[in-house]
Amino acid sequence: MAHVERRLYQRLLVFVAFLHISGVFCFSELFFIKEPHDVTVMRKEAVILDCQAHGESPIDVRWLKNGVKVVENERVYHLPNGSLYISEVESRRGDKSDEGLYQCLAQNKYGAILSQKARLTIASISAFAIQPTPAVVTEGSVARFSCKISAHPPSIITWEFNRVTLPLATERITVLPSGVLQIHRVQQEDAGNYRCICTNIASRRRSTEATLTVAAAPRSQLPQRPRIIAGPQNISVSLHQSAILECIATGNPQPIISWSRADSKSIDVYSTKVLGNGNLIITDIKPQHRGVYMCRATTPGTRNYTVASANITVLAPPSLVEWPESLTRPRAGTARFVCRAEGAPTPQITWLKNGDKVHSNGRIKMYNSKLVINQIIPEDDAIYQCQAENEQGSVLSMARLIVVMSEDRPSAPRNIQADTVSSSAILLAWERPQYNSDKVIAYSVHYMKAEGLNNEEYQVVIGNDTTRYIIDDLEPARNYTFYVVAYMPMGASRMSDNVFKHTLEDVPLRAPELSLTSRSPMDIQVSWQPLPDKLSRGRVSAYRLSYRTSTESTVSQIELPGDKTQHFFQNLKPDTIYLLRIVAATSVGWGEQSVWTSHRTPKTSSALVPMAPELRLEPLNCTAIVARWQLAPRNSISVQGYRLFHHEESQSETSPVQLRALENTYTFGGLDPRKKYHVKLLAYNFVGDGYQADQTISTPGCVSVRDRLVPPPPPPHNVYTKTNSSNSVFLHWGRPAFTSSQAVNYTVRCNPVGLQNASLVLYLQTSEQNLLVRDLEPNTKYEFAIRLHIDQLSSPWSPVVYQSTFPDAPTLPPSNVKVTLIEEDTALVSWKPPDEPNVAVTHYTILYASRNAWIAGEWQVLQREGTITMSLLEKLKPGQIYFVKVSASNHMGNGPFSHTMELNVQADSSGHDPRLSQGSTHSTGFSDGFYHLDQKSMTGITVGVCIALICIIICAFIIVCRGKNRTFSAAKTYGEGVNTSALITGHLGSEGQAEPADVSIPRMSHNHFIDAKGGTNLVINSLGPVQSSTKKKEKWFSFNGNGKKGSKAVQPRTAVLTFEDELSMSPDQPTTLQALLWRPGDSEGSSNSEESHATGDSGRYSHDETEMTNLSSRTGSRPPSLSTEDSAGSDCSAASKESDELMGESCADLKLMESVESGCCHYEAKSCSESELSFQVGV
């Protein structure tokens, strides 16, 4: 019966524990939706620091400034959503200033969490740190000025020459964003005063003027080796910023500048460009851009060169690569949280409990980015945060610890005793708990080193059938602390009392590693590092050095005290190989001797070779060693390179590795664990090999994992990622090589890099070897890992791969656009990035125009990089009103423009605009790309529309009236004649419009129509416009069919054509007249007839119409065959015969008559058509 009751009691406890455990996954976890970010504002400007938390209500939000609670007042107060509002930012000194680091603290019943830090900075600009200095340069050489200033936000630096903005149109002038002015191939007109101007939203500062004096170049210039007068400097650049490496060289002839990397890697051509004559700019800096860059100036056609180098350090904010996970633990249990972060510089890890910093004590330990809580108590139930922080920023991740309580737990074990067994073992004994000892199912023995901080605690679980245990993996000569805990099925007792015990000393585990160098041909400097405590196994009391030559068997020995770490051997033989070894001793005895280490003393004639480098060896891991070195300070001999040797102990020496003189590090890989290696390094020059440095080092052992009964399957391999869009990434992986016919499933883990909330990690299941992950955030770097599941076994996670989604094109314009007039002709436009997350901006476009230019649609365009949020508008005209708007763009597209800002540039006293002086506010407001006109513009448009309507009505009335006149004159015939002067006057328009003529139309064919566009009486057929005859006969010359006596004299350079149209002729078929008068290039000539002038019509006809239009338009469209010069020497009868042949097919008979007096030809055409049209052209 008791057994049944115990089983029911255990099941009840399991059910209660399940309820508590399920609470981890069911409770509304507290996390931030919005967190504050760094912001720079103007003094007296309002600012909002965002903070919005989500979780189970009620949620209390508080703000901290520099770790101290922010006190609300009428100027600083909380908004309903939790954000902090400061109406007027103050910049007073001390604590009264609003500048500082802000964090918001959100709390509910589960605990409290702290947001990331946000720095509030007030815009400012300091005094100049570097100002330009006077310079004297030779004509044709290079001049350089520099200035440097500290400003928030960073300032824009421009230059003035004799107090006038320096033009940058010439390729000789280069201005670097860092504040350097370079003038190449200096000329005499470059002499003058130069100064730099630094501008940001806070203020503008001008430097002192520096005078450039240009000296005349000598007539004969000798060849000069290249010389770098301004080389690159070591810089540290934040991620995604720009790095500028300057390089200016002189020489005769002018040297060629090239760039390379010291590690022989290729330079990223996509993010790198050369500015000016050799300056290297790397945009959008990434971790792979770190390294040493070399500028090389080479004389063309020779091998003469000079090299300068600089190191680029890429700074990156922290990002979490492993974050803590929420845990459920019983009372008196142990909880371990893990947190790892990467960044540059290396982030510092801090643990927070409900927003407060966690401090180490006997129960809570922090080491190696881990948080270990032993003997959990109810007060440990809280939200814990891991905060990784460096100078580039901070990141946090959270996890919750839930403590499960149980009743009737046993009391703590009693009477703990510890006895030392050996240098590595201690016997621990105890008595059973006084109460509820029958419920104990196991004991847990805890031990850790007693000295030092953040020591790792170890735990061993044993059965309830014994109360004695030997801990045998301890270090010699160490103090340890022990305690014991008794466990029941769903709980544990309190921890027992602590007991301390010291292990015995032992002989050293191994000998120190030797480092050998020579200062002269007759000495050897021997040095070594003290053994670590784990290897010394006690206090080292003495060292013994043994040495001999390689050809002798006699061994000499010398004993040294335990505090020595070097010894100097003198009076040795030159050019001789010596063998040395060392052994260490403790109070227990001597340890194991090292193997013989060889070293050759230099030759006597080696005085001009380099001295031995200072060599340092470090194990990188169990299979790699890193060698670092530097030349001795006393070494004054030039070095051409290094030779590096290494070999395993008792193995033959391998061929050396040749290294360049600029290199100072090398990594040996592919070594065996727990092996000793000898490394030798020497420098050489043109004389020969220098003194060598010898050192030995042992590789550590690899961390092994205990064999399991059922080993897990291997993880997937060859994980491949590819970005599909701004919100999806495609993954593909390979199945590991193992034989199994069972079904395999995969879990894909996806989360943004630096995720602060572990509950937002995305886990996706699939049975395929590929997956398209959707619904991701744009412009966000994600990490992916995959594991497989087979037969209830899971593999480890695959190596993490990283992939970034594409950014979205901006959908919002830049915010807070401001335009300020800072000088008479210069304005500063500033803005803030668009208020939308995860949208990268690569460049901004600034459009500005005066009112007149804006009406004409002529905008001036400026572009700035995405990291710059201000720009100068220069050379503005006084008395003008300018419109300014800004848009953001990236590689995915352009965003919308901001609302157009209006800038009133006041006129000076000499040309003051009275409208501006009266404070007139006639302006144009803009909204969503549309504009609203002011009152004067609307009045002008209204008047213009009314005038246009009146003109249209008048033209319509004229057309109606003339149409009636044509009805009465339908039976009249056309007079044929032309008045040259009147026709020319009609074309040129010098005497006004030609008098309109009445046209009599006996019959209109189907391919004739009246041009009613301008209200004229122009008749057009398929061949073009037809000139009407006039009623006033005295203004025209008349011709009869044969040119008889009644005809009047024709004016010189005047041709008259009379022809009859054929109704059946195809519009597309060229007529004989077209063949005679056709001129290449005039198929679409502009018609400037008198009717076209009167109506404003362009007079253009389609290509399907006849080229006769050219004859009615201008004199210059006459074919060459009809010109005066040509006709004088040509046979008109021949032309008439040719015309008859051409007109045969169209039933037209053309006669050509030449007037000898005027030098002109008269054409007369007869047609079989019933309709007859008259056409006069003034040529």
Side-chain angles (χ1 to χ4, degrees):
M1 187 65 182
H3 177 71
V4 175
E5 291 179 354
R6 175 175 296 182
R7 292 294 299 273
L8 291 174
Y9 179 74
Q10 290 179 354
R11 292 180 180 179
L12 179 61
L13 290 177
V14 170
F15 177 73
V16 172
F18 174 77
L19 292 179
H20 283 282
I21 294 174
S22 62
V24 178
F25 306 100
C26 297
F27 83 102
S28 298
E29 189 172 354
L30 183 65
F31 60 90
F32 288 109
I33 298 176
K34 288 185 178 180
E35 296 187 68
H37 296 279
D38 295 345
V39 62
T40 301
V41 296
M42 294 283 292
R43 184 175 176 271
K44 297 296 184 181
E45 190 177 24
V47 65
I48 296 177
L49 297 176
D50 292 327
C51 180
Q52 188 173 351
H54 178 75
E56 187 170 329
S57 299
I59 300 176
D60 178 43
V61 176
R62 291 174 291 165
W63 279 90
L64 305 177
K65 174 192 170 187
N66 298 329
V68 180
K69 182 180 179 182
V70 175
V71 180
E72 293 188 71
N73 52 46
E74 60 182 8
R75 189 177 60 87
V76 181
Y77 53 88
H78 295 174
L79 296 179
N81 65 350
S83 301
L84 183 67
Y85 179 75
I86 304 177
S87 60
E88 292 184 357
V89 175
E90 296 288 348
S91 60
R92 302 174 184 175
R93 294 184 178 180
D95 297 337
K96 296 182 179 180
S97 174
D98 291 324
E99 287 188 302
L101 293 173
Y102 288 81
Q103 290 177 285
C104 67
L105 181 71
Q107 185 174 10
N108 65 3
K109 68 177 184 178
Y110 297 110
I113 55 175
L114 199 62
S115 72
Q116 66 182 10
K117 295 181 179 179
R119 183 178 296 275
L120 173 63
T121 305
I122 298 178
S124 63
I125 186 167
S126 65
F128 282 94
I130 299 177
Q131 299 200 55
T133 56
V136 178
V137 298
T138 307
E139 187 175 1
S141 183
V142 181
R144 179 183 182 272
F145 298 101
S146 65
C147 69
K148 185 178 181 181
I149 198 170
S150 177
H152 298 283
S155 60
I156 297 176
I157 300 178
T158 58
W159 288 86
E160 287 186 351
F161 172 58
N162 293 333
R163 303 204 172 185
V164 177
T165 301
L166 186 66
L168 302 179
T170 174
E171 61 180 7
R172 295 189 304 108
I173 299 177
T174 302
V175 176
L176 300 183
S178 56
V180 175
L181 170 65
Q182 301 171 353
I183 306 176
H184 299 269
R185 301 188 299 278
V186 173
Q187 302 173 2
Q188 287 292 340
E189 55 264 26
D190 295 328
N193 297 323
Y194 292 83
R195 68 176 179 180
C196 70
I197 301 177
C198 302
T199 309
N200 71 353
I201 60 175
S203 179
R204 163 178 278 201
R205 290 190 182 274
R206 295 177 174 86
S207 70
T208 58
E209 290 187 330
T211 302
L212 174 63
T213 304
V214 181
R219 294 183 178 180
S220 60
Q221 295 185 359
L222 298 176
Q224 295 179 355
R225 292 181 60 87
R227 183 171 65 93
I228 296 177
I229 61 176
Q233 303 295 322
N234 295 337
I235 55 174
S236 297
V237 187
S238 299
L239 206 62
H240 304 303
Q241 299 299 313
S242 296
I244 303 172
L245 297 178
E246 183 184 10
C247 190
I248 306 177
T250 60
N252 188 27
Q254 181 66 29
I256 299 173
I257 294 178
S258 59
W259 287 91
S260 61
R261 290 180 57 122
D263 54 7
S264 300
K265 295 181 180 179
S266 60
I267 294 180
D268 183 8
V269 296
Y270 297 101
S271 302
T272 306
K273 61 182 178 180
V274 176
L275 180 62
N277 289 357
N279 308 291
L280 190 70
I281 294 185
I282 305 175
T283 58
D284 192 18
I285 204 87
K286 295 181 175 62
Q288 60 264 29
H289 292 139
R290 66 166 62 98
V292 177
Y293 289 76
M294 297 187 299
C295 167
R296 178 170 175 164
T298 307
T299 302
T302 69
R303 295 184 179 181
N304 297 329
Y305 66 89
T306 302
V307 176
S309 62
N311 181 62
I312 294 181
T313 302
V314 180
L315 304 178
S319 61
L320 295 177
V321 296
E322 188 174 3
W323 48 87
E325 297 182 356
S326 297
L327 300 173
T328 299
R329 293 291 183 267
R331 182 173 180 174
T334 300
R336 288 181 175 85
F337 295 105
V338 180
C339 180
R340 283 196 308 116
E342 61 182 16
T346 303
Q348 294 291 114
I349 301 295
T350 304
W351 288 94
L352 306 174
K353 174 186 176 183
N354 288 338
D356 296 326
K357 188 175 181 180
V358 176
H359 298 280
S360 297
N361 54 38
R363 212 171 46 82
I364 300 176
K365 299 294 181 182
M366 290 177 289
Y367 56 92
N368 297 336
S369 304
K370 296 179 182 178
L371 173 64
V372 179
I373 305 175
N374 297 300
Q375 286 301 299
I376 295 174
I377 59 178
E379 289 75 12
D380 295 329
D381 192 316
I383 297 177
Y384 292 83
Q385 287 180 286
C386 164
Q387 177 178 272
E389 184 176 15
N390 64 8
E391 61 187 32
Q392 295 295 302
S394 63
V395 63
L396 296 98
S397 180
M398 55 167 284
R400 186 184 170 198
L401 173 62
I402 299 178
V403 180
V404 178
M405 304 296 294
S406 61
E407 300 296 335
D408 298 331
R409 58 194 180 107
S411 58
R414 302 171 295 160
N415 299 331
I416 284 197
Q417 296 180 356
D419 294 321
T420 301
V421 177
S422 66
S423 61
S424 61
I426 290 179
L427 173 63
L428 197 66
W430 64 92
E431 294 183 4
R432 293 180 179 274
Q434 183 175 1
Y435 303 106
N436 296 325
S437 60
D438 57 333
K439 298 180 180 179
V440 174
I441 60 173
Y443 292 99
S444 175
V445 176
H446 301 257
Y447 61 97
M448 62 185 300
K449 295 176 183 178
E451 295 94 355
L453 298 175
N454 295 331
N455 293 318
E456 186 171 1
E457 182 180 274
Y458 299 92
Q459 179 180 0
V460 179
V461 178
I462 60 176
N464 63 352
D465 56 347
T466 182
T467 56
R468 298 166 61 89
Y469 187 75
I470 296 179
I471 301 98
D472 57 0
D473 57 352
L474 307 178
E475 297 181 10
R478 290 285 185 173
N479 279 323
Y480 284 88
T481 177
F482 304 87
Y483 67 89
V484 183
V485 176
Y487 279 86
M488 57 181 292
M490 288 306 299
S493 69
R494 295 184 179 275
M495 56 186 294
S496 66
D497 295 333
N498 285 278
V499 61
F500 296 87
K501 201 62 179 176
H502 190 274
T503 55
L504 301 176
E505 283 189 350
D506 204 342
V507 297
L509 188 61
R510 71 181 187 203
E513 309 286 356
L514 290 178
S515 178
L516 309 174
T517 58
S518 292
R519 300 179 182 177
S520 70
M522 301 180 64
D523 63 45
I524 295 178
Q525 174 72 38
V526 182
S527 60
W528 61 90
Q529 294 294 328
L531 289 172
D533 294 338
K534 191 172 183 178
L535 299 179
S536 65
R537 304 204 288 188
R539 188 182 66 85
V540 175
S541 57
Y543 293 102
R544 181 187 296 158
L545 274 173
S546 304
Y547 65 98
R548 66 179 177 87
T549 63
S550 61
T551 59
E552 298 176 354
S553 58
T554 303
V555 178
S556 301
Q557 293 183 343
I558 181 174
E559 288 194 10
L560 302 171
D563 56 352
K564 291 288 185 179
T565 58
Q566 61 182 1
H567 185 72
F568 189 62
F569 289 101
Q570 293 178 306
N571 301 324
L572 303 178
K573 298 177 183 179
D575 195 19
T576 304
I577 297 177
Y578 281 86
L579 303 178
L580 298 94
R581 68 182 179 185
I582 190 173
V583 62
T586 62
S587 60
V588 178
W590 293 95
E592 181 182 357
Q593 295 190 81
S594 67
V595 298
W596 290 105
T597 302
S598 63
H599 179 78
R600 179 187 291 272
T601 54
K603 298 179 181 179
T604 306
S605 60
S606 301
L608 298 179
V609 298
M611 302 294 291
E614 296 179 359
L615 178 64
R616 299 189 307 275
L617 301 178
E618 299 176 6
L620 184 62
N621 51 50
C622 61
T623 60
I625 294 173
V626 178
R628 295 183 176 90
W629 63 88
Q630 63 181 6
L631 287 174
R634 61 185 180 278
N635 188 8
S636 60
I637 306 299
S638 62
V639 173
Q640 290 184 329
Y642 298 95
R643 292 190 177 94
L644 186 61
F645 305 80
H646 84 285
H647 64 92
E648 186 182 342
E649 182 182 33
S650 71
Q651 299 291 331
S652 59
E653 193 172 77
T654 59
S655 58
V657 178
Q658 299 286 343
L659 301 172
R660 292 183 294 184
L662 294 176
E663 298 187 62
N664 58 7
T665 182
Y666 187 80
T667 301
F668 298 102
L671 308 180
D672 295 330
R674 298 185 184 276
K675 295 289 185 180
K676 183 170 289 189
Y677 288 87
H678 295 270
V679 179
K680 181 174 69 175
L681 176 69
L682 59 87
Y684 65 90
N685 60 7
F686 63 95
V687 177
D689 292 345
Y691 296 0
Q692 68 184 36
D694 294 273
Q695 193 171 338
T696 58
I697 188 173
S698 298
T699 54
C702 294
V703 179
S704 60
V705 180
R706 295 181 180 179
D707 295 335
R708 302 173 182 174
L709 297 177
V710 180
H717 61 277
N718 297 336
V719 180
Y720 168 80
T721 60
K722 180 181 179 181
T723 303
N724 269 31
S725 64
S726 60
N727 57 9
S728 62
V729 173
F730 177 77
L731 277 79
H732 182 273
W733 57 90
R735 176 173 172 171
F738 64 93
T739 57
S740 176
S741 59
Q742 298 180 351
V744 176
N745 295 319
Y746 300 90
T747 298
V748 177
R749 187 185 72 201
C750 167
N751 60 272
V753 173
L755 182 66
Q756 302 176 12
N757 187 358
S759 65
L760 299 181
V761 178
L762 183 64
Y763 295 93
L764 304 173
Q765 307 292 329
T766 180
S767 58
E768 304 293 334
Q769 291 180 223
N770 57 77
L771 181 67
L772 181 63
V773 184
R774 305 176 185 271
D775 301 327
L776 304 179
E777 293 294 330
N779 194 33
T780 303
K781 185 177 182 181
Y782 283 86
E783 63 179 35
F784 301 89
I786 306 169
R787 71 192 310 179
L788 65 84
H789 312 279
I790 179 172
D791 193 21
Q792 298 183 352
L793 293 177
S794 299
S795 73
W797 289 103
S798 67
V800 175
V801 293
Y802 300 91
Q803 189 68 31
S804 298
T805 53
F806 292 140
D808 269 342
T811 58
L812 296 177
S815 61
N816 201 21
V817 179
K818 297 181 180 179
V819 184
T820 306
L821 189 66
I822 57 179
E823 285 188 356
E824 294 179 356
D825 62 343
T826 304
L828 176 67
V829 55
S830 63
W831 60 89
K832 292 182 180 180
D835 294 328
E836 51 185 338
N838 300 327
V839 174
V841 178
T842 57
H843 65 275
Y844 293 94
T845 302
I846 305 102
L847 298 184
Y848 70 99
S850 62
R851 180 183 291 274
N852 294 334
W854 167 74
I855 294 175
E858 298 174 356
W859 292 90
Q860 298 190 51
V861 183
L862 296 176
Q863 285 196 343
R864 294 293 180 263
E865 292 184 1
T867 57
I868 299 176
T869 57
M870 67 180 70
S871 179
L872 291 176
L873 308 181
E874 298 177 314
K875 299 181 180 179
L876 304 180
K877 296 180 180 179
Q880 294 283 341
I881 296 178
Y882 283 82
F883 302 118
V884 183
K885 56 183 179 180
V886 187
S887 74
S889 305
N890 58 19
H891 299 300
M892 303 302 293
N894 302 322
F897 278 95
S898 64
H899 295 304
T900 303
M901 307 298 295
E902 183 174 309
L903 174 66
N904 191 349
V905 181
Q906 298 289 344
D908 53 15
S909 58
S910 60
H912 188 66
D913 190 350
R915 294 176 300 173
L916 299 179
S917 63
Q918 296 174 2
S920 176
T921 58
H922 54 281
S923 61
T924 304
F926 293 76
S927 177
D928 299 331
F930 300 95
Y931 57 89
H932 307 284
L933 298 175
D934 55 20
Q935 184 175 1
K936 291 187 176 181
S937 299
M938 290 297 298
T939 303
I941 293 175
T942 304
V943 171
V945 172
C946 293
I947 293 174
L949 291 175
I950 293 173
C951 293
I952 293 173
I953 294 173
I954 293 174
C955 293
F957 179 77
I958 293 173
I959 292 172
V960 173
C961 293
R962 290 186 175 180
K964 294 180 179 180
N965 293 336
R966 292 190 188 100
T967 304
F968 294 105
S969 59
K972 295 182 179 181
T973 60
Y974 295 97
E976 300 175 355
V978 61
N979 189 323
T980 305
S981 61
L983 187 57
I984 296 176
T985 302
H987 282 288
L988 298 179
S990 61
E991 300 296 336
Q993 298 294 339
E995 184 176 352
D998 293 336
V999 181
S1000 299
I1001 305 177
R1003 184 174 59 194
M1004 188 76 67
S1005 62
H1006 71 278
N1007 58 351
H1008 289 62
F1009 59 93
I1010 296 177
D1011 182 334
K1013 177 180 180 181
T1016 69
N1017 54 0
L1018 177 66
V1019 179
I1020 302 173
N1021 64 8
S1022 60
L1023 297 180
V1026 179
Q1027 186 74 18
S1028 63
S1029 62
T1030 179
K1031 291 182 180 181
K1032 298 181 180 181
K1033 302 293 183 177
E1034 63 270 19
K1035 291 185 179 181
W1036 301 92
F1037 294 107
S1038 302
F1039 286 87
N1040 56 16
N1042 299 321
K1044 294 184 180 180
K1045 183 177 180 180
S1047 62
K1048 295 183 179 181
V1050 180
Q1051 297 294 330
R1053 300 182 60 82
T1054 303
V1056 178
L1057 302 180
T1058 303
F1059 65 94
E1060 296 177 356
D1061 189 18
E1062 183 180 17
L1063 294 175
S1064 61
M1065 184 180 297
S1066 172
D1068 296 331
Q1069 181 179 357
T1071 64
T1072 308
L1073 186 60
Q1074 288 177 278
L1076 283 174
L1077 302 181
W1078 179 81
R1079 178 180 178 182
D1082 283 338
S1083 61
E1084 291 183 7
S1086 176
S1087 176
N1088 294 326
S1089 62
E1090 64 183 36
E1091 286 81 10
S1092 297
H1093 280 291
T1095 61
D1097 191 10
S1098 64
R1100 285 190 176 269
Y1101 301 95
S1102 66
H1103 188 67
D1104 293 335
E1105 297 176 353
T1106 177
E1107 277 70 13
M1108 285 295 295
T1109 306
N1110 298 326
L1111 292 174
S1112 65
S1113 62
R1114 60 183 182 272
T1115 60
S1117 61
R1118 173 175 81 254
S1121 61
L1122 299 179
S1123 65
T1124 304
E1125 293 80 7
D1126 294 340
S1127 63
S1130 61
D1131 189 359
C1132 293
S1133 63
S1136 176
K1137 181 179 180 180
E1138 183 180 357
S1139 301
D1140 291 338
E1141 294 175 357
L1142 294 173
M1143 294 291 290
E1145 296 179 2
S1146 60
C1147 300
D1149 189 15
L1150 178 65
K1151 294 178 65 179
L1152 177 63
M1153 297 178 294
E1154 181 177 1
S1155 174
V1156 178
E1157 284 183 332
S1158 61
C1160 299
C1161 294
H1162 301 268
Y1163 297 85
E1164 185 175 276
K1166 292 183 180 181
S1167 177
C1168 58
S1169 173
E1170 294 182 1
S1171 63
E1172 180 177 349
L1173 298 177
S1174 178
F1175 185 59
Q1176 294 88 13
V1177 179
V1179 182

